[in-house]
Amino acid sequence: KSADVEDAAARIMNGKTLNAGQICLAPDYVFVPEGKVDAFVGAAEKSVAKMYPTLKDNPDYTSIVNQRHFDRLNSYIDDAKAKGAKIVEVNPANEDFSQQQTHKIPPTIVLDATDDMKIMQEEIFGPLLPVKTYKESDETIDYINENDRPLGLYYFGEDKAEEDKVLKNTTAGGVTVNDVIMHISQEDLPFGGIGPSGMGAYHGFDGFKEFSHAKSIYTQSKSKMVAEMFRPPYGAKTQKNLASQIKK
């Protein structure tokens, strides 16, 4: 709630439109405080217009990789619309995308997104951004924890207590505060997922450890007592030794 909505929207839309959202760390959805949705949408439209005055023939705005994924993303929009979502197409120059061979999809904000929509169930990997609203930060924490562990979590705001609460009570592969994606660019921070979002981590020293094998080497003591204490027959002496090692 303490975030600068205009700045946050600009950073989020930059991450969502970079390579047309075809980045593993692109935000999959955004939580916006109730009462600030219109401000967020307006700021998002403004930021996209500044970055991409046009989209269709603009080499800065990326195409979807192929027809299959182009159709998949459009099916998410159709499904969300059919289930009651409000679709906001961010198209600064009002270009016609109905007849085009480049497989471009304008940045699309999906308002009133619900969990029964495909866009909230599948990895998007495209320029579609569902928006969910909340009253208290606890709602966002509960939602994150009820779903698969994310590869990236992004907190926007200046409320340090709230920031600590969110970060301490959620689990994610990595976190960027007041921006998106950028934790991957820090070579001194391990990068990786957790659970469904990935296994292991790399970058810097953590990468060296991840892709190396620590070989264990143990040299046994020459003491016969150490070797013989594990050999049968086992009797009262063994029981006494075991009893001495067990805390009651």
Side-chain angles (χ1 to χ4, degrees):
K1 292 182 178 180
S2 61
D4 180 323
V5 174
E6 189 160 325
D7 181 64
R11 293 175 185 273
I12 290 168
M13 294 311 293
N14 180 45
K16 195 59 179 175
T17 57
L18 189 65
N19 202 38
Q22 297 165 110
I23 297 175
C24 61
L25 281 169
D28 278 331
Y29 60 87
V30 59
F31 269 109
V32 177
E34 285 187 354
K36 293 188 177 182
V37 173
D38 289 344
F40 176 81
V41 172
E45 291 176 322
K46 179 181 176 181
S47 69
V48 171
K50 184 176 181 179
M51 292 186 290
Y52 309 101
T54 64
L55 299 168
K56 192 172 181 180
D57 297 316
N58 187 343
D60 290 340
Y61 189 70
T62 310
S63 299
I64 303 305
V65 64
N66 58 30
Q67 184 69 47
R68 179 169 68 87
H69 287 290
F70 179 79
D71 293 340
R72 175 182 61 83
L73 290 166
N74 277 304
S75 75
Y76 291 171
I77 297 173
D78 293 340
D79 175 75
K81 188 184 300 182
K83 292 174 179 174
K86 179 182 177 182
I87 308 301
V88 179
E89 184 179 273
V90 184
N91 185 354
N94 293 316
E95 296 167 284
D96 182 6
F97 286 85
S98 60
Q99 299 293 327
Q100 44 123 357
Q101 301 299 316
T102 55
H103 297 144
K104 286 192 175 183
I105 296 177
T108 303
I109 299 172
V110 180
L111 302 177
D112 303 321
T114 55
D115 291 345
D116 63 330
M117 298 174 183
K118 290 181 180 178
I119 198 170
M120 294 300 297
Q121 299 172 353
E122 306 289 342
E123 184 175 16
I124 298 172
F125 222 68
L128 318 181
L129 183 65
V131 173
K132 297 178 75 69
T133 60
Y134 71 96
K135 293 180 181 179
E136 301 296 335
S137 60
D138 285 344
E139 299 170 46
T140 68
I141 293 171
D142 290 344
Y143 186 85
I144 292 167
N145 290 334
E146 288 167 1
N147 290 277
D148 290 343
R149 306 303 195 198
L151 179 61
L153 186 149
Y154 310 123
Y155 174 83
F156 286 85
E158 303 302 325
D159 185 336
K160 187 62 178 176
E162 183 182 70
E163 176 188 327
D164 289 344
K165 181 180 180 181
V166 171
L167 300 190
K168 288 178 180 178
N169 290 283
T170 57
T171 302
V175 175
T176 294
V177 175
N178 287 325
D179 209 340
V180 299
I181 300 176
M182 295 306 295
H183 61 282
I184 193 176
S185 67
Q186 310 307 309
E187 281 297 325
D188 290 337
L189 291 178
F191 172 73
I194 181 169
S197 63
M199 296 175 61
Y202 68 103
H203 279 185
F205 180 68
D206 293 278
F208 175 80
K209 289 183 65 178
E210 186 71 32
F211 297 109
S212 301
H213 173 69
K215 181 171 66 175
S216 301
I217 299 175
Y218 172 73
T219 301
Q220 180 60 283
S221 167
K222 293 182 179 180
S223 170
K224 290 185 178 181
M225 183 183 71
V226 174
E228 291 177 354
M229 67 184 294
F230 295 106
R231 298 173 185 170
Y234 305 119
K237 186 177 180 180
T238 302
Q239 292 295 330
K240 183 178 179 180
N241 286 335
L242 289 174
S244 69
Q245 301 299 316
I246 298 174
K247 292 183 178 180
K248 296 182 179 179

